[in-house]
């Protein structure tokens, strides 16, 4: 067991830190959380800066245009950018963390050449068309149909909870291509242009007041068959590859941010006298232990992933999402909610001010136990795939 | 960074598990419930296997390993519910003659806590009492302050028959306790008391981890086998979710305990103990719940894990103290 960084990793950290120190002071203030076109412009400009400095697609393989960094370097990158207060991936989230890695792993040479460079340069934004009104956590129950017509698919259906749909150029779309097949088969993974005729986006207002996600209606949308990634009806396997990326590293930077917020909460409580409340103080102390352990769990999972290729199991067993990711997400999503509930205690009546950063984060934290697989679904994954409990209903 | 067990560490952990499974199986465990004094023959065998001399230098006949390895070994001891003054013998192997080889046993008790409790009073040849050197409470003001406190604290040794005790009915049938009324403070020992406390807390946390991991396995094993309403109870979501939460607690505790064994920082160890205590206690309770009525019997082993977890949670920094120290660490 070793927690120290190699000299190469330390050098990488130092170089990154220097670069961040140079560029961040020149960065304009971020737009309001509700201003999605503004956010798109801001997030893609940041992505372009990363690209020009050689930090775009850090953990992507080199032949996909990435930097081929080790998971440990990726961890350092997330740690340092978060610590320095650099922008997070934001609107580039789906492209960089799901669609890109999926295309890199499963796409043809032509598909990779078409879609990967614009993601890395921050020119094209992707969204995720997985969930449907009647198929949320039960993803394989999706009903959006794609019927083959010559060399195009004709798509009809609806998607929901589609983050960044308003400003996206492309959608990683799951469609049913064989309705007669068992529900996990007969699904295909398509890259759908969001400006195709028949695509209607209706933003949904979240309880936090923002419109970060939307409903997407698909009426006779025509997508070339060449936009299918993976074989026809093999989309479930491709999807599992996508989800393993989603749960693998998506929250790493946030843990660093939470640790910073925790320190700020303690200082705020000291300043306003609430620190004298032993119950609150003890709650903060417990969160300190939680977030430290979540960071260690991340290091544990990343180290495990770094060893995995050597054991020949690069994508886990049969593309099953990393169960370590489920363990992490279960605890992290609850700890994050607990953190901001504690922030509300520190703020007192100030917790009623929706413009306060911590209050906005408290509201958005409510999605963490639902998005990317609810806590209940994650618990079933842990129980069935790690503990070997029988499937049930 | 490679925060995973090395091949050697895995071999040590597996080897310890096999040794304990062979020498302290279920029959021995249940026999120990009736007679919980350390089994001297087993103690010598453990000594011969290097269990206590693990961290002593090779020159002196030790194994020459470090705190991470001691943690792995004690995790296995916790898993097996091995009784005896394990932490004391591990930490004092180089201090008290005969302990490293398992020929002698030594107890360790905290003078700062009230009442002062002594584990296995009848099974120890000697007792060491540590006083002062409090790392808990108060605010941590930075390295200098911490350094200053490192030097405080005293330790005294005494032959066990010279310690004045009162009976104390232990909740854990595998850990007899006595209440120490007075220990002769005539024989001081040169020990780094704050360090001893830190390591005692960490090794205690390691045993909690082992117990937490074991109770998840027991619960999942039972849930796979036991049928109700025509199906294994493990197929019911309510039971599944209970088991999944147990695993999450154990894995959080594992990351925290292993990392603390590397950094050896006060805050890391304090956090690890807090999470490992919680994992052991709550997992044992959930394991009992999964076992249903059977879990509430003396015959099931679940209560042995729960009671030992309660006992360890009180040793070397209980939750309130740990949380206060961690809170202070946030504004350091």
């Amino acid at each position: 067991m070793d927690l120290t960084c190699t000299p190469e990793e330390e050098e990488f950290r130092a170089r990154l830190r220097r670069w961040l120190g140079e560029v961040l002071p020149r960065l304009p203030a971020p737009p309001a959380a509700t201003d999605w076109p503004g956010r798109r412009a801001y997030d893609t400009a940041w992505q372009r800066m990363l690209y020009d400095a050689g930090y775009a697609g850090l953990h992507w393989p080199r032949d996909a245009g990435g930097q081929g960094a080790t998971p440990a370097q990726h961890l350092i990158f997330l740690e340092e950018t978060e610590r320095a207060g650099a922008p997070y991936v934001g609107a580039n989230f789906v492209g960089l963390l799901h669609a890109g890695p999926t295309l890199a792993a499963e796409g043809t040479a032509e598909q990779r050449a078409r879609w990967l460079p614009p993601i890395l340069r921050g020119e094209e934004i992707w969204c995720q068309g997985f969930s449907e009104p009647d198929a949320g956590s039960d993803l394989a129950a999706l009903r959006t149909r794609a019927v083959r017509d010559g060399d195009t698919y004709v798509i009809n259906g609806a998607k929901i909870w589609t983050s960044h749909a308003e400003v996206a150029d492309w959608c990683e779309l799951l469609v049913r291509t064989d309705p007669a097949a068992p529900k996990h088969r007969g699904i295909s993974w398509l890259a759908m242009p969001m400006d195709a005729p028949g695509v209607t986006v209706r933003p949904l207002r979240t309880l936090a007041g923002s419109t970060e996600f939307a409903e997407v209606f698909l009426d006779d949308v025509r997508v070339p068959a060449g936009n299918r990634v993976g074989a026809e009806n093999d989309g479930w396997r491709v999807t599992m590859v996508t989800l393993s990326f989603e749960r693998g590293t998506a929250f790493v930077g946030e843990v660093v941010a939470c640790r910073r917020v925790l320190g700020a909460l303690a200082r705020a409580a000291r300043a306003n006298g609430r620190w004298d409340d032993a119950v609150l103080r003890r709650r903060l102390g417990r969160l300190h232990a939680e977030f430290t352990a979540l960071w260690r769990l991340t290091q544990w999972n990343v180290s495990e992933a770094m060893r995995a290729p050597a054991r020949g199991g690069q994508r886990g067993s049969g593309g099953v999402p990393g169960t370590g990711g489920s363990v992490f997400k279960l605890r992290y999503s609850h700890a994050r909610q607990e953190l901001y509930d504690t922030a509300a205690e520190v703020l007192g009546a100030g917790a009623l001010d929706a413009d306060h950063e911590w209050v906005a984060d408290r509201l958005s934290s409510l999605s963490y136990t639902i998005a990317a697989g609810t806590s209940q679904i994650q618990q079933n994954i842990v129980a069935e795939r790690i503990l070997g409990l029988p499937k049930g209903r | 960074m490679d925060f995973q067990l090395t091949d050697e560490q895995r071999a040590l952990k597996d080897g310890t598990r096999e040794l304990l499974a062979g020498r302290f199986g279920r029959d021995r465990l249940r026999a120990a419930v009736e007679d919980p004094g350390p089994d001297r023959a087993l103690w010598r065998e453990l000594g011969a296997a290097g269990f206590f001399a693990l961290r002593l230098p090779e020159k002196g006949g030790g194994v020459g390993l470090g705190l991470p390895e001691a943690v792995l070994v004690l995790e296995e001891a916790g898993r097996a519910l091995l009784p005896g003054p394990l932490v004391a013998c591990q930490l004092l192997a180089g201090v008290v003659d005969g302990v490293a080889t398992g020929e002698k046993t030594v107890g360790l008790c905290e003078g700062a806590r009230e009442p002062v409790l002594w584990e296995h009073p009848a099974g120890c040849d000697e007792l060491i009492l540590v006083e002062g050197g409090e790392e808990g409470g108060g605010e941590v003001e930075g390295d200098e302050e911490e350094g200053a406190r490192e030097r405080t604290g005293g330790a005294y040794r005494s032959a066990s028959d010279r310690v004045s005790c009162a009976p104390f009915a232990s909740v854990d049938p595998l850990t007899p306790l006595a209440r120490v009324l007075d220990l002769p403070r005539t024989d001081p020992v040169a020990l780094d008391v704050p360090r001893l406390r830190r390591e005692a807390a960490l090794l205690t946390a390691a045993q909690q981890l082992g117990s937490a991991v074991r109770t998840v396995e027991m619960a999942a094993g039972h849930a796979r086998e036991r049928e109700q309403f025509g199906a294994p109870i493990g197929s019911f979501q309510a039971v599944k979710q209970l088991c999944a939460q147990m695993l999450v607690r154990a894995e959080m505790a594992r990351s925290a305990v292993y990392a603390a064994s590397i950094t050896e920082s006060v805050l890391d160890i304090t956090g690890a103990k807090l999470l490992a205590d919680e994992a052991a206690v709550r997992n044992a309770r959930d394991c009992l719940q999964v076992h249903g009525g059977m879990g509430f019997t003396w015959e099931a082993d679940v209560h042995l894990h729960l009671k030992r977890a309660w006992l360890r949670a009180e040793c070397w920094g209980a939750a309130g103290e740990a949380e206060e120290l961690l809170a202070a660490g946030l504004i350091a």
Side-chain angles (χ1 to χ4, degrees):
Chain A
M1 288 188 289
D2 183 10
L3 286 169
T4 55
C5 291
T6 63
E8 293 76 32
E9 286 163 358
E10 284 302 350
E11 194 194 310
F12 173 80
R13 186 193 295 276
R15 191 155 34 90
L16 174 61
R17 211 176 261 189
R18 265 198 311 277
W19 181 72
L20 289 168
E22 285 162 22
V23 302
L24 290 182
R26 299 204 306 267
L27 219 59
T34 47
D35 172 13
W36 278 94
R39 283 223 78 94
R40 180 194 159 120
Y42 186 80
D43 294 342
T44 51
W46 170 243
Q47 181 59 28
R48 179 71 206 200
M49 289 170 79
L50 289 170
Y51 179 83
D52 290 340
Y55 291 115
L58 201 61
H59 59 302
W60 290 19
R62 283 189 184 280
D63 64 4
Q67 306 295 323
T70 63
Q73 284 174 319
H74 188 214
L75 204 64
I76 290 170
F77 175 80
L78 293 165
E79 196 179 2
E80 290 297 325
T81 46
E82 188 53 60
R83 192 167 280 162
Y88 194 46
V89 279
N92 292 301
F93 184 86
V94 172
L96 283 167
L97 298 177
H98 307 186
T102 305
L103 286 159
E106 300 289 333
T108 62
E110 207 183 345
Q111 289 173 334
R112 287 151 60 119
R114 164 62 190 87
W115 285 306
L116 295 180
I119 292 175
L120 291 173
R121 290 195 296 258
E123 289 163 2
E124 289 180 349
I125 295 287
W126 283 65
C127 63
Q128 186 183 45
F130 281 15
S131 294
E132 295 190 5
D134 294 317
S137 292
D138 184 7
L139 184 56
L142 65 90
R143 290 199 298 222
T144 293
R145 286 282 309 275
V147 178
R148 191 70 178 255
D149 177 21
D151 56 2
T152 61
Y153 287 108
V154 181
I155 303 162
N156 280 285
K159 295 288 172 177
I160 197 166
W161 318 131
T162 312
S163 301
H164 319 312
E166 255 188 303
V167 294
D169 304 288
W170 292 92
C171 177
E172 47 173 24
L173 189 74
L174 287 189
V175 291
R176 191 160 291 285
T177 34
D178 181 0
K183 72 175 191 175
H184 289 86
R185 307 214 183 103
I187 292 172
S188 298
W189 197 108
L190 303 179
M192 179 185 76
M194 289 297 283
D195 61 359
V199 176
T200 309
V201 176
R202 190 172 78 88
L204 287 166
R205 194 160 181 223
T206 72
L207 59 76
S210 69
T211 52
E212 67 193 53
F213 54 47
E215 285 178 287
V216 180
F217 300 98
L218 307 165
D219 297 307
D220 288 331
V221 178
R222 299 182 77 87
V223 170
N227 286 23
R228 191 191 63 236
V229 176
E232 187 168 278
N233 300 327
D234 193 28
W236 185 254
R237 192 187 55 77
V238 181
T239 301
M240 289 301 111
V241 171
T242 310
L243 292 183
S244 69
F245 291 115
E246 180 174 10
R247 288 171 196 157
T249 49
F251 302 107
V252 172
E254 295 190 11
V255 177
V256 185
C258 285
R259 295 175 77 184
R260 209 178 52 212
V261 169
L262 189 56
L265 283 189
R267 286 188 295 276
R270 263 251 289 219
N272 72 11
R274 285 174 199 269
W275 187 252
D276 295 336
D277 175 354
V279 175
L280 175 64
R281 222 166 44 228
R282 285 186 56 173
R283 234 177 133 177
L284 289 166
R286 174 164 287 268
L287 284 167
H288 189 179
E290 291 266 337
F291 282 104
T292 304
L294 282 164
W295 181 245
R296 299 310 188 187
L297 185 59
T298 301
Q299 291 176 313
W300 181 264
N301 288 342
V302 166
S303 296
E304 191 174 34
M306 284 169 73
R307 283 182 171 205
R311 290 197 218 102
Q314 193 156 9
R315 266 180 238 137
S317 44
V320 170
T323 41
S326 292
V327 171
F328 175 86
K329 183 183 181 279
L330 269 170
R331 190 71 171 233
Y332 171 67
S333 55
H334 289 273
R336 186 180 174 95
Q337 291 172 358
E338 171 91 358
L339 174 72
Y340 287 108
D341 283 346
T342 309
E345 271 188 64
V346 172
L347 290 170
L352 303 177
D353 172 7
D355 283 339
H356 194 291
E357 188 192 347
W358 291 344
V359 179
D361 284 337
R362 184 189 195 195
L363 290 168
S364 72
S365 78
L366 297 171
S367 74
Y368 279 67
T369 45
I370 301 169
T374 64
S375 288
Q376 286 65 37
I377 291 292
Q378 301 292 346
Q379 284 173 341
N380 285 350
I381 290 173
V382 168
E384 288 168 13
R385 299 194 194 148
I386 302 181
L387 294 173
L389 296 187
K391 282 200 174 285
R393 278 169 293 166
Chain B
M1 184 190 77
D2 183 22
F3 187 36
Q4 290 276 304
L5 300 190
T6 62
D7 290 345
E8 292 75 19
Q9 286 169 336
R10 192 165 295 282
L12 174 71
K13 195 167 188 288
D14 292 348
T16 308
R17 183 176 299 191
E18 277 165 38
L19 174 77
L20 290 174
R23 306 297 300 137
F24 191 75
R26 181 140 201 281
D27 292 349
R28 290 289 295 276
L29 171 68
R30 298 308 300 202
V33 170
E34 303 308 319
D35 178 14
D39 175 339
R40 295 289 181 146
L42 174 60
W43 218 254
R44 275 190 292 273
E45 274 183 72
L46 291 172
F51 195 93
F52 305 112
L54 200 70
R55 293 170 64 204
L56 296 180
E58 285 179 85
K59 271 184 198 163
V63 189
L65 295 172
L67 204 50
E69 285 77 16
V71 157
L72 297 175
V73 162
L74 278 152
E75 178 187 340
E76 291 303 320
R79 177 193 170 84
L81 277 175
L82 185 68
L86 288 160
V87 170
C89 288
Q90 175 67 229
L91 293 178
L92 299 166
V95 177
V96 177
D97 286 346
V99 170
T101 54
E103 290 300 319
K104 289 212 165 165
T105 55
V106 61
L108 184 61
C109 68
E110 295 176 84
R113 115 175 143 175
E114 192 53 46
V116 178
L117 295 177
W118 176 14
E119 295 181 15
H120 293 278
C124 291
D125 300 309
E126 197 170 304
L127 178 63
I128 287 184
L129 174 87
V130 293
E131 288 184 319
E134 275 295 88
E135 289 187 300
E139 291 177 7
V140 179
E141 296 285 358
D143 291 336
E144 279 180 29
E145 180 76 10
E146 218 172 312
R149 251 184 304 158
E150 291 276 350
R151 291 187 288 276
T152 65
Y156 301 91
R157 66 195 289 173
S158 176
S160 48
D161 55 5
R162 295 187 55 221
V163 181
S164 162
C165 289
F168 191 98
S170 175
V171 70
D172 176 16
L174 287 160
T175 314
L177 295 171
R179 185 176 169 186
V180 176
L181 299 174
D182 187 35
L183 178 141
R185 288 169 171 78
T186 47
D187 202 356
V189 214
L191 281 173
D192 180 346
V193 171
R195 183 185 184 86
L196 191 75
R197 279 180 191 282
R198 278 202 302 276
E199 294 184 353
L202 180 66
L203 296 182
T204 305
Q207 290 180 79
Q208 295 285 53
L209 167 63
S211 175
V213 170
R214 180 69 192 126
T215 49
V216 186
E217 290 173 7
M218 286 161 65
H222 184 75
R224 281 192 298 263
E225 300 296 322
R226 170 76 172 164
E227 291 197 5
Q228 291 276 272
F229 306 104
I233 61 169
S235 66
F236 305 143
Q237 284 212 4
V239 175
K240 251 182 216 181
Q241 303 202 339
L242 213 53
C243 293
Q245 285 161 5
M246 292 171 73
L247 183 102
V248 171
R249 272 182 223 127
E251 291 306 307
M252 283 282 283
R254 183 193 305 283
S255 307
V257 170
Y258 286 3
S261 78
I262 300 169
T263 68
E264 301 187 26
S265 104
V266 180
L267 289 175
D268 282 352
I269 290 173
T270 305
K273 173 79 169 30
L274 181 69
L275 294 178
D277 284 345
E278 179 189 84
V281 171
R282 293 192 57 188
N283 279 12
R285 293 183 66 145
D286 286 351
C287 181
L288 196 155
Q289 182 70 20
V290 170
H291 278 77
M294 236 178 288
F296 191 65
T297 67
W298 189 266
E299 282 69 31
D301 293 342
V302 188
H303 72 110
L304 300 175
H305 278 282
L306 177 61
K307 291 165 180 173
R308 187 79 72 87
W310 278 342
L311 191 137
R312 292 190 195 113
E314 280 301 313
C315 298
W316 310 107
E321 204 183 320
E323 285 165 349
E324 286 286 5
L325 183 65
L326 287 158
L330 285 173
I331 50 169

